[in-house]
Amino acid sequence: MNLNKCMFMGNLGRDAEVRQAGESKVASFSLAVSEKYKDTEKTEWVNCVAWGKLADIAEKYFKKGTKLYVEGKVQTRSWDGENGKQYRTEFVIFSFQFTGGPKQEGDAPKSEPAPTLPKMEDDLPF
């Protein structure tokens, strides 16, 4: 059995950028995830993408500074660039929750539920 699931909570570094990709929309955004150790703080920037309905929500509500909890999967893309093969690791978001941050305009959705997982077999080999 394999599992590809990541969870992050942090602040948006910029407004979500939305573009059309074929018949679907895709939103790209960066999430600043910080850790504190005694007197120091380290911030990692997580590249995230959201497709379809989530991209529509991101376009309207994902603004710089918004605090989010996101769940998704890791994905690495590659392409041929000017300096040879280029790679980008990003996280494809399938669920989120607003956890604070700047006040949202309008009635922002509270969260988007995770997809239902398939029922697992009861007779496990251990």
Side-chain angles (χ1 to χ4, degrees), residues 56-117:
D56 291 334
I57 294 169
E59 183 174 32
K60 189 170 182 180
Y61 299 109
F62 287 17
K63 305 299 179 193
K64 181 178 179 176
T66 302
K67 191 169 187 78
L68 287 178
Y69 167 80
V70 297
E71 293 183 6
K73 66 178 185 174
V74 66
Q75 173 180 286
T76 302
R77 297 185 292 127
S78 65
W79 65 94
D80 292 323
E82 293 177 11
N83 299 325
K85 198 73 154 174
Q86 303 290 307
Y87 296 93
R88 180 178 175 96
T89 300
E90 55 195 11
F91 299 88
V92 180
I93 302 307
F94 55 74
S95 172
F96 76 91
Q97 287 184 345
F98 291 105
T99 58
K103 184 175 175 108
Q104 304 297 320
E105 291 183 23
D107 294 325
K110 298 294 182 215
S111 67
E112 186 66 27
T116 305
L117 297 174

Short mmCIF file of all heavy atoms in Angstrom, two decimals, residues 56-117:
data_model
loop_
_atom_site.label_atom_id
_atom_site.label_comp_id
_atom_site.label_asym_id
_atom_site.label_seq_id
_atom_site.Cartn_x
_atom_site.Cartn_y
_atom_site.Cartn_z
N ASP A 56 -11.46 28.00 -8.39
CA ASP A 56 -12.45 29.08 -8.34
C ASP A 56 -12.48 29.72 -6.96
O ASP A 56 -12.53 30.95 -6.83
CB ASP A 56 -13.85 28.55 -8.69
CG ASP A 56 -13.98 28.15 -10.15
OD1 ASP A 56 -13.23 28.69 -10.99
OD2 ASP A 56 -14.85 27.30 -10.45
N ILE A 57 -12.46 28.90 -5.92
CA ILE A 57 -12.48 29.41 -4.54
C ILE A 57 -11.19 30.18 -4.26
O ILE A 57 -11.21 31.27 -3.69
CB ILE A 57 -12.67 28.26 -3.54
CG1 ILE A 57 -14.06 27.64 -3.71
CG2 ILE A 57 -12.46 28.75 -2.11
CD1 ILE A 57 -14.26 26.35 -2.96
N ALA A 58 -10.06 29.63 -4.69
CA ALA A 58 -8.77 30.28 -4.47
C ALA A 58 -8.73 31.65 -5.15
O ALA A 58 -8.24 32.63 -4.58
CB ALA A 58 -7.63 29.40 -4.99
N GLU A 59 -9.26 31.73 -6.36
CA GLU A 59 -9.26 32.99 -7.11
C GLU A 59 -10.01 34.08 -6.33
O GLU A 59 -9.58 35.23 -6.30
CB GLU A 59 -9.93 32.77 -8.46
CG GLU A 59 -9.94 33.98 -9.35
CD GLU A 59 -10.48 33.67 -10.73
OE1 GLU A 59 -11.35 32.79 -10.88
OE2 GLU A 59 -10.00 34.32 -11.69
N LYS A 60 -11.06 33.72 -5.68
CA LYS A 60 -11.90 34.69 -4.97
C LYS A 60 -11.40 35.01 -3.56
O LYS A 60 -11.47 36.16 -3.12
CB LYS A 60 -13.33 34.16 -4.90
CG LYS A 60 -14.33 35.14 -4.39
CD LYS A 60 -15.74 34.62 -4.57
CE LYS A 60 -16.75 35.66 -4.11
NZ LYS A 60 -18.12 35.21 -4.27
N TYR A 61 -10.87 34.01 -2.83
CA TYR A 61 -10.60 34.18 -1.40
C TYR A 61 -9.15 34.05 -0.96
O TYR A 61 -8.82 34.43 0.16
CB TYR A 61 -11.44 33.18 -0.59
CG TYR A 61 -12.91 33.38 -0.77
CD1 TYR A 61 -13.67 32.46 -1.48
CD2 TYR A 61 -13.56 34.48 -0.22
CE1 TYR A 61 -15.03 32.63 -1.65
CE2 TYR A 61 -14.92 34.66 -0.38
CZ TYR A 61 -15.65 33.74 -1.10
OH TYR A 61 -16.99 33.91 -1.26
N PHE A 62 -8.26 33.46 -1.77
CA PHE A 62 -6.88 33.24 -1.32
C PHE A 62 -6.07 34.50 -1.58
O PHE A 62 -5.51 34.70 -2.64
CB PHE A 62 -6.25 32.05 -2.03
CG PHE A 62 -6.76 30.70 -1.59
CD1 PHE A 62 -7.93 30.55 -0.89
CD2 PHE A 62 -6.04 29.55 -1.91
CE1 PHE A 62 -8.40 29.30 -0.50
CE2 PHE A 62 -6.50 28.29 -1.52
CZ PHE A 62 -7.67 28.17 -0.81
N LYS A 63 -5.99 35.35 -0.56
CA LYS A 63 -5.29 36.62 -0.65
C LYS A 63 -4.05 36.60 0.25
O LYS A 63 -4.00 35.88 1.24
CB LYS A 63 -6.20 37.78 -0.21
CG LYS A 63 -7.52 37.86 -0.98
CD LYS A 63 -7.31 38.05 -2.45
CE LYS A 63 -8.63 38.11 -3.20
NZ LYS A 63 -8.46 37.99 -4.63
N LYS A 64 -3.07 37.41 -0.11
CA LYS A 64 -1.82 37.49 0.64
C LYS A 64 -2.10 37.65 2.13
O LYS A 64 -2.91 38.46 2.54
CB LYS A 64 -0.98 38.68 0.14
CG LYS A 64 0.34 38.81 0.85
CD LYS A 64 1.15 39.96 0.30
CE LYS A 64 2.46 40.06 1.05
NZ LYS A 64 3.32 41.10 0.49
N GLY A 65 -1.44 36.83 2.95
CA GLY A 65 -1.56 36.89 4.40
C GLY A 65 -2.61 35.97 4.98
O GLY A 65 -2.61 35.73 6.18
N THR A 66 -3.50 35.44 4.14
CA THR A 66 -4.54 34.53 4.63
C THR A 66 -3.90 33.29 5.23
O THR A 66 -2.98 32.72 4.65
CB THR A 66 -5.50 34.12 3.50
OG1 THR A 66 -6.09 35.30 2.95
CG2 THR A 66 -6.59 33.20 3.99
N LYS A 67 -4.38 32.89 6.40
CA LYS A 67 -3.85 31.69 7.06
C LYS A 67 -4.71 30.50 6.64
O LYS A 67 -5.93 30.54 6.76
CB LYS A 67 -3.87 31.86 8.58
CG LYS A 67 -3.11 30.79 9.30
CD LYS A 67 -2.94 31.17 10.77
CE LYS A 67 -2.05 30.19 11.48
NZ LYS A 67 -0.65 30.39 11.23
N LEU A 68 -4.06 29.45 6.13
CA LEU A 68 -4.74 28.27 5.61
C LEU A 68 -4.15 26.99 6.17
O LEU A 68 -2.95 26.91 6.42
CB LEU A 68 -4.60 28.16 4.09
CG LEU A 68 -5.35 29.10 3.18
CD1 LEU A 68 -4.98 28.81 1.74
CD2 LEU A 68 -6.84 28.97 3.38
N TYR A 69 -5.00 26.00 6.30
CA TYR A 69 -4.59 24.61 6.51
C TYR A 69 -4.95 23.90 5.21
O TYR A 69 -6.10 24.02 4.73
CB TYR A 69 -5.34 23.98 7.68
CG TYR A 69 -5.19 22.48 7.75
CD1 TYR A 69 -4.05 21.91 8.29
CD2 TYR A 69 -6.18 21.64 7.24
CE1 TYR A 69 -3.90 20.53 8.35
CE2 TYR A 69 -6.03 20.26 7.30
CZ TYR A 69 -4.89 19.72 7.85
OH TYR A 69 -4.74 18.36 7.89
N VAL A 70 -3.99 23.23 4.58
CA VAL A 70 -4.25 22.54 3.32
C VAL A 70 -3.82 21.08 3.41
O VAL A 70 -2.89 20.74 4.14
CB VAL A 70 -3.54 23.22 2.12
CG1 VAL A 70 -4.06 24.63 1.91
CG2 VAL A 70 -2.03 23.22 2.28
N GLU A 71 -4.51 20.23 2.66
CA GLU A 71 -4.13 18.83 2.49
C GLU A 71 -4.02 18.57 1.00
O GLU A 71 -4.80 19.09 0.20
CB GLU A 71 -5.17 17.90 3.09
CG GLU A 71 -5.26 18.00 4.59
CD GLU A 71 -6.25 17.02 5.19
OE1 GLU A 71 -6.79 16.17 4.45
OE2 GLU A 71 -6.48 17.10 6.40
N GLY A 72 -3.03 17.77 0.64
CA GLY A 72 -2.84 17.46 -0.77
C GLY A 72 -1.83 16.36 -0.96
O GLY A 72 -1.52 15.62 -0.03
N LYS A 73 -1.34 16.28 -2.18
CA LYS A 73 -0.33 15.27 -2.51
C LYS A 73 0.85 15.96 -3.17
O LYS A 73 0.72 17.01 -3.79
CB LYS A 73 -0.90 14.20 -3.43
CG LYS A 73 -1.29 14.71 -4.80
CD LYS A 73 -1.80 13.60 -5.68
CE LYS A 73 -2.07 14.12 -7.09
NZ LYS A 73 -2.43 13.05 -8.00
N VAL A 74 2.03 15.37 -3.03
CA VAL A 74 3.23 15.91 -3.64
C VAL A 74 3.32 15.43 -5.09
O VAL A 74 2.94 14.30 -5.41
CB VAL A 74 4.50 15.53 -2.84
CG1 VAL A 74 4.77 14.05 -2.89
CG2 VAL A 74 5.71 16.30 -3.32
N GLN A 75 3.79 16.34 -5.94
CA GLN A 75 3.94 16.02 -7.37
C GLN A 75 5.15 16.77 -7.90
O GLN A 75 5.34 17.94 -7.58
CB GLN A 75 2.67 16.48 -8.09
CG GLN A 75 2.71 16.37 -9.59
CD GLN A 75 1.40 16.85 -10.18
OE1 GLN A 75 0.40 16.15 -10.10
NE2 GLN A 75 1.38 18.04 -10.75
N THR A 76 5.96 16.12 -8.71
CA THR A 76 7.11 16.76 -9.33
C THR A 76 6.91 16.78 -10.84
O THR A 76 6.62 15.74 -11.44
CB THR A 76 8.42 16.03 -8.98
OG1 THR A 76 8.56 16.01 -7.56
CG2 THR A 76 9.62 16.72 -9.59
N ARG A 77 7.03 17.96 -11.41
CA ARG A 77 6.92 18.13 -12.87
C ARG A 77 8.32 18.37 -13.42
O ARG A 77 9.19 18.89 -12.72
CB ARG A 77 6.05 19.34 -13.23
CG ARG A 77 4.64 19.24 -12.79
CD ARG A 77 3.80 20.42 -13.29
NE ARG A 77 4.18 21.68 -12.66
CZ ARG A 77 4.50 22.79 -13.32
NH1 ARG A 77 4.51 22.83 -14.63
NH2 ARG A 77 4.81 23.90 -12.67
N SER A 78 8.51 18.04 -14.69
CA SER A 78 9.79 18.34 -15.34
C SER A 78 9.53 18.83 -16.76
O SER A 78 8.50 18.51 -17.37
CB SER A 78 10.69 17.10 -15.37
OG SER A 78 10.13 16.10 -16.18
N TRP A 79 10.45 19.64 -17.26
CA TRP A 79 10.36 20.16 -18.61
C TRP A 79 11.77 20.53 -19.06
O TRP A 79 12.69 20.63 -18.26
CB TRP A 79 9.42 21.37 -18.69
CG TRP A 79 9.90 22.56 -17.92
CD1 TRP A 79 10.62 23.61 -18.39
CD2 TRP A 79 9.71 22.82 -16.52
NE1 TRP A 79 10.89 24.50 -17.38
CE2 TRP A 79 10.33 24.05 -16.22
CE3 TRP A 79 9.06 22.14 -15.49
CZ2 TRP A 79 10.33 24.59 -14.95
CZ3 TRP A 79 9.06 22.70 -14.22
CH2 TRP A 79 9.69 23.91 -13.97
N ASP A 80 11.93 20.68 -20.37
CA ASP A 80 13.22 21.07 -20.93
C ASP A 80 13.29 22.59 -20.95
O ASP A 80 12.46 23.26 -21.57
CB ASP A 80 13.39 20.52 -22.35
CG ASP A 80 13.52 19.00 -22.34
OD1 ASP A 80 14.15 18.48 -21.41
OD2 ASP A 80 12.98 18.35 -23.25
N GLY A 81 14.27 23.15 -20.23
CA GLY A 81 14.45 24.59 -20.15
C GLY A 81 15.71 25.02 -20.86
O GLY A 81 16.41 24.20 -21.47
N GLU A 82 16.01 26.30 -20.76
CA GLU A 82 17.21 26.86 -21.39
C GLU A 82 18.49 26.22 -20.88
O GLU A 82 19.45 26.06 -21.60
CB GLU A 82 17.28 28.37 -21.16
CG GLU A 82 16.20 29.14 -21.85
CD GLU A 82 16.27 30.63 -21.53
OE1 GLU A 82 17.28 31.08 -20.92
OE2 GLU A 82 15.33 31.34 -21.89
N ASN A 83 18.51 25.84 -19.60
CA ASN A 83 19.70 25.25 -18.97
C ASN A 83 19.56 23.75 -18.78
O ASN A 83 20.12 23.20 -17.83
CB ASN A 83 19.96 25.93 -17.63
CG ASN A 83 20.23 27.41 -17.78
OD1 ASN A 83 20.84 27.83 -18.76
ND2 ASN A 83 19.77 28.20 -16.85
N GLY A 84 18.79 23.10 -19.65
CA GLY A 84 18.61 21.66 -19.52
C GLY A 84 17.31 21.32 -18.82
O GLY A 84 16.38 22.11 -18.76
N LYS A 85 17.26 20.13 -18.27
CA LYS A 85 16.05 19.64 -17.61
C LYS A 85 15.75 20.46 -16.36
O LYS A 85 16.62 20.68 -15.55
CB LYS A 85 16.25 18.16 -17.24
CG LYS A 85 14.99 17.42 -16.96
CD LYS A 85 14.24 17.14 -18.23
CE LYS A 85 13.38 15.92 -18.10
NZ LYS A 85 12.56 15.72 -19.27
N GLN A 86 14.52 20.93 -16.24
CA GLN A 86 14.08 21.71 -15.09
C GLN A 86 13.06 20.89 -14.30
O GLN A 86 12.29 20.14 -14.89
CB GLN A 86 13.41 23.02 -15.54
CG GLN A 86 14.29 23.89 -16.41
CD GLN A 86 15.43 24.50 -15.63
OE1 GLN A 86 15.22 25.13 -14.60
NE2 GLN A 86 16.65 24.31 -16.11
N TYR A 87 13.03 21.07 -12.98
CA TYR A 87 12.10 20.34 -12.12
C TYR A 87 11.40 21.31 -11.18
O TYR A 87 11.98 22.31 -10.77
CB TYR A 87 12.86 19.30 -11.27
CG TYR A 87 13.50 18.22 -12.09
CD1 TYR A 87 14.82 18.36 -12.51
CD2 TYR A 87 12.80 17.09 -12.46
CE1 TYR A 87 15.42 17.36 -13.28
CE2 TYR A 87 13.40 16.10 -13.21
CZ TYR A 87 14.71 16.25 -13.62
OH TYR A 87 15.29 15.27 -14.38
N ARG A 88 10.19 20.98 -10.82
CA ARG A 88 9.44 21.76 -9.83
C ARG A 88 8.61 20.79 -9.01
O ARG A 88 7.84 20.00 -9.54
CB ARG A 88 8.54 22.79 -10.49
CG ARG A 88 7.73 23.62 -9.49
CD ARG A 88 6.90 24.65 -10.22
NE ARG A 88 6.05 25.38 -9.32
CZ ARG A 88 6.32 26.55 -8.79
NH1 ARG A 88 7.47 27.13 -9.06
NH2 ARG A 88 5.47 27.15 -7.99
N THR A 89 8.80 20.85 -7.70
CA THR A 89 7.98 20.06 -6.78
C THR A 89 6.89 20.95 -6.26
O THR A 89 7.15 22.07 -5.82
CB THR A 89 8.84 19.51 -5.63
OG1 THR A 89 9.86 18.68 -6.19
CG2 THR A 89 8.00 18.69 -4.67
N GLU A 90 5.65 20.47 -6.35
CA GLU A 90 4.51 21.25 -5.88
C GLU A 90 3.52 20.32 -5.20
O GLU A 90 3.64 19.10 -5.29
CB GLU A 90 3.85 22.01 -7.03
CG GLU A 90 3.43 21.13 -8.18
CD GLU A 90 3.13 21.92 -9.45
OE1 GLU A 90 3.43 23.12 -9.53
OE2 GLU A 90 2.59 21.31 -10.38
N PHE A 91 2.57 20.92 -4.51
CA PHE A 91 1.58 20.16 -3.76
C PHE A 91 0.21 20.43 -4.35
O PHE A 91 -0.23 21.57 -4.40
CB PHE A 91 1.68 20.51 -2.27
CG PHE A 91 3.03 20.16 -1.73
CD1 PHE A 91 4.08 21.06 -1.80
CD2 PHE A 91 3.26 18.89 -1.25
CE1 PHE A 91 5.34 20.71 -1.36
CE2 PHE A 91 4.53 18.53 -0.80
CZ PHE A 91 5.57 19.43 -0.86
N VAL A 92 -0.44 19.38 -4.83
CA VAL A 92 -1.76 19.48 -5.43
C VAL A 92 -2.77 19.39 -4.29
O VAL A 92 -2.89 18.36 -3.63
CB VAL A 92 -2.00 18.37 -6.47
CG1 VAL A 92 -3.38 18.50 -7.08
CG2 VAL A 92 -0.92 18.41 -7.55
N ILE A 93 -3.48 20.47 -4.07
CA ILE A 93 -4.39 20.60 -2.93
C ILE A 93 -5.74 19.96 -3.27
O ILE A 93 -6.31 20.21 -4.32
CB ILE A 93 -4.58 22.09 -2.57
CG1 ILE A 93 -3.23 22.74 -2.26
CG2 ILE A 93 -5.56 22.25 -1.42
CD1 ILE A 93 -2.40 22.02 -1.22
N PHE A 94 -6.25 19.14 -2.34
CA PHE A 94 -7.59 18.58 -2.53
C PHE A 94 -8.53 18.94 -1.38
O PHE A 94 -9.72 18.63 -1.42
CB PHE A 94 -7.55 17.07 -2.75
CG PHE A 94 -6.86 16.27 -1.70
CD1 PHE A 94 -7.42 16.03 -0.46
CD2 PHE A 94 -5.61 15.73 -1.96
CE1 PHE A 94 -6.77 15.29 0.50
CE2 PHE A 94 -4.94 14.98 -1.00
CZ PHE A 94 -5.54 14.76 0.23
N SER A 95 -8.02 19.65 -0.35
CA SER A 95 -8.85 20.05 0.78
C SER A 95 -8.17 21.23 1.47
O SER A 95 -6.95 21.32 1.48
CB SER A 95 -8.98 18.87 1.75
OG SER A 95 -9.59 19.24 2.95
N PHE A 96 -8.98 22.14 2.06
CA PHE A 96 -8.41 23.26 2.79
C PHE A 96 -9.38 23.73 3.86
O PHE A 96 -10.57 23.40 3.82
CB PHE A 96 -8.08 24.43 1.85
CG PHE A 96 -9.30 25.20 1.43
CD1 PHE A 96 -9.72 26.29 2.17
CD2 PHE A 96 -10.03 24.82 0.33
CE1 PHE A 96 -10.85 26.99 1.81
CE2 PHE A 96 -11.16 25.52 -0.04
CZ PHE A 96 -11.58 26.61 0.70
N GLN A 97 -8.85 24.52 4.80
CA GLN A 97 -9.66 25.22 5.80
C GLN A 97 -9.03 26.57 6.05
O GLN A 97 -7.80 26.67 6.15
CB GLN A 97 -9.72 24.46 7.12
CG GLN A 97 -10.54 23.23 7.09
CD GLN A 97 -10.65 22.57 8.46
OE1 GLN A 97 -9.90 22.87 9.38
NE2 GLN A 97 -11.59 21.67 8.59
N PHE A 98 -9.85 27.62 6.17
CA PHE A 98 -9.35 28.92 6.61
C PHE A 98 -9.12 28.81 8.11
O PHE A 98 -9.96 28.29 8.83
CB PHE A 98 -10.37 30.02 6.31
CG PHE A 98 -10.54 30.30 4.85
CD1 PHE A 98 -11.67 29.88 4.19
CD2 PHE A 98 -9.57 30.99 4.15
CE1 PHE A 98 -11.83 30.14 2.83
CE2 PHE A 98 -9.72 31.26 2.80
CZ PHE A 98 -10.86 30.83 2.14
N THR A 99 -7.97 29.30 8.59
CA THR A 99 -7.66 29.20 10.01
C THR A 99 -7.40 30.56 10.63
O THR A 99 -6.90 30.63 11.75
CB THR A 99 -6.46 28.27 10.25
OG1 THR A 99 -5.33 28.78 9.53
CG2 THR A 99 -6.76 26.86 9.80
N GLY A 100 -7.68 31.62 9.94
CA GLY A 100 -7.47 32.97 10.46
C GLY A 100 -6.84 33.83 9.41
O GLY A 100 -6.90 33.53 8.22
N GLY A 101 -6.23 34.93 9.82
CA GLY A 101 -5.60 35.85 8.89
C GLY A 101 -6.51 37.02 8.58
O GLY A 101 -7.50 37.25 9.27
N PRO A 102 -6.20 37.77 7.53
CA PRO A 102 -7.01 38.94 7.20
C PRO A 102 -8.47 38.58 6.98
O PRO A 102 -8.78 37.50 6.49
CB PRO A 102 -6.38 39.46 5.91
CG PRO A 102 -5.02 38.90 5.88
CD PRO A 102 -5.09 37.59 6.62
N LYS A 103 -9.35 39.49 7.35
CA LYS A 103 -10.78 39.28 7.17
C LYS A 103 -11.08 39.10 5.69
O LYS A 103 -10.61 39.86 4.85
CB LYS A 103 -11.55 40.46 7.73
CG LYS A 103 -13.05 40.27 7.67
CD LYS A 103 -13.75 41.42 8.35
CE LYS A 103 -15.23 41.27 8.18
NZ LYS A 103 -15.91 40.90 9.37
N GLN A 104 -11.85 38.07 5.37
CA GLN A 104 -12.22 37.77 3.99
C GLN A 104 -13.40 38.64 3.57
O GLN A 104 -14.30 38.89 4.36
CB GLN A 104 -12.60 36.29 3.85
CG GLN A 104 -11.52 35.34 4.30
CD GLN A 104 -10.26 35.46 3.50
OE1 GLN A 104 -10.31 35.61 2.28
NE2 GLN A 104 -9.12 35.41 4.15
N GLU A 105 -13.42 39.08 2.32
CA GLU A 105 -14.56 39.81 1.80
C GLU A 105 -15.66 38.83 1.46
O GLU A 105 -15.41 37.74 0.97
CB GLU A 105 -14.17 40.58 0.54
CG GLU A 105 -13.22 41.73 0.81
CD GLU A 105 -12.91 42.50 -0.45
OE1 GLU A 105 -13.70 42.44 -1.40
OE2 GLU A 105 -11.86 43.16 -0.47
N GLY A 106 -16.91 39.23 1.71
CA GLY A 106 -18.03 38.36 1.38
C GLY A 106 -18.11 37.18 2.31
O GLY A 106 -17.49 37.14 3.36
N ASP A 107 -18.90 36.22 1.94
CA ASP A 107 -19.08 35.01 2.75
C ASP A 107 -18.13 33.94 2.25
O ASP A 107 -18.48 33.13 1.40
CB ASP A 107 -20.52 34.51 2.67
CG ASP A 107 -21.49 35.47 3.32
OD1 ASP A 107 -21.13 36.10 4.31
OD2 ASP A 107 -22.61 35.58 2.81
N ALA A 108 -16.92 33.93 2.77
CA ALA A 108 -15.93 32.94 2.37
C ALA A 108 -16.34 31.57 2.86
O ALA A 108 -16.85 31.43 3.96
CB ALA A 108 -14.56 33.29 2.94
N PRO A 109 -16.16 30.53 2.05
CA PRO A 109 -16.47 29.20 2.53
C PRO A 109 -15.56 28.84 3.69
O PRO A 109 -14.41 29.24 3.73
CB PRO A 109 -16.20 28.31 1.31
CG PRO A 109 -15.34 29.11 0.42
CD PRO A 109 -15.61 30.55 0.71
N LYS A 110 -16.09 28.10 4.65
CA LYS A 110 -15.31 27.72 5.83
C LYS A 110 -14.26 26.67 5.49
O LYS A 110 -13.19 26.66 6.03
CB LYS A 110 -16.23 27.19 6.93
CG LYS A 110 -17.22 28.22 7.42
CD LYS A 110 -16.53 29.36 8.10
CE LYS A 110 -17.52 30.35 8.63
NZ LYS A 110 -17.14 31.70 8.58
N SER A 111 -14.59 25.75 4.62
CA SER A 111 -13.63 24.73 4.22
C SER A 111 -14.16 24.01 3.00
O SER A 111 -15.29 24.18 2.59
CB SER A 111 -13.41 23.72 5.34
OG SER A 111 -14.59 22.99 5.56
N GLU A 112 -13.31 23.20 2.44
CA GLU A 112 -13.69 22.34 1.33
C GLU A 112 -13.33 20.93 1.79
O GLU A 112 -12.19 20.66 2.12
CB GLU A 112 -12.93 22.72 0.07
CG GLU A 112 -13.36 21.97 -1.16
CD GLU A 112 -14.78 22.28 -1.59
OE1 GLU A 112 -15.30 23.36 -1.31
OE2 GLU A 112 -15.38 21.38 -2.22
N PRO A 113 -14.32 20.01 1.86
CA PRO A 113 -14.05 18.68 2.41
C PRO A 113 -13.12 17.85 1.53
O PRO A 113 -13.06 18.04 0.31
CB PRO A 113 -15.44 18.04 2.48
CG PRO A 113 -16.24 18.78 1.46
CD PRO A 113 -15.68 20.18 1.40
N ALA A 114 -12.43 16.94 2.19
CA ALA A 114 -11.57 16.00 1.48
C ALA A 114 -12.45 14.99 0.74
O ALA A 114 -13.57 14.72 1.16
CB ALA A 114 -10.67 15.27 2.47
N PRO A 115 -11.95 14.43 -0.35
CA PRO A 115 -12.74 13.42 -1.07
C PRO A 115 -12.91 12.17 -0.21
O PRO A 115 -12.10 11.88 0.65
CB PRO A 115 -11.90 13.13 -2.31
CG PRO A 115 -10.53 13.57 -1.96
CD PRO A 115 -10.66 14.66 -0.95
N THR A 116 -13.98 11.44 -0.47
CA THR A 116 -14.23 10.20 0.25
C THR A 116 -13.24 9.15 -0.22
O THR A 116 -13.07 8.95 -1.42
CB THR A 116 -15.67 9.71 -0.01
OG1 THR A 116 -16.56 10.76 0.34
CG2 THR A 116 -15.97 8.47 0.79
N LEU A 117 -12.60 8.49 0.71
CA LEU A 117 -11.63 7.44 0.37
C LEU A 117 -12.35 6.12 0.18
O LEU A 117 -13.38 5.86 0.81
CB LEU A 117 -10.59 7.31 1.48
CG LEU A 117 -9.73 8.54 1.70
CD1 LEU A 117 -8.83 8.34 2.91
CD2 LEU A 117 -8.90 8.85 0.48
#
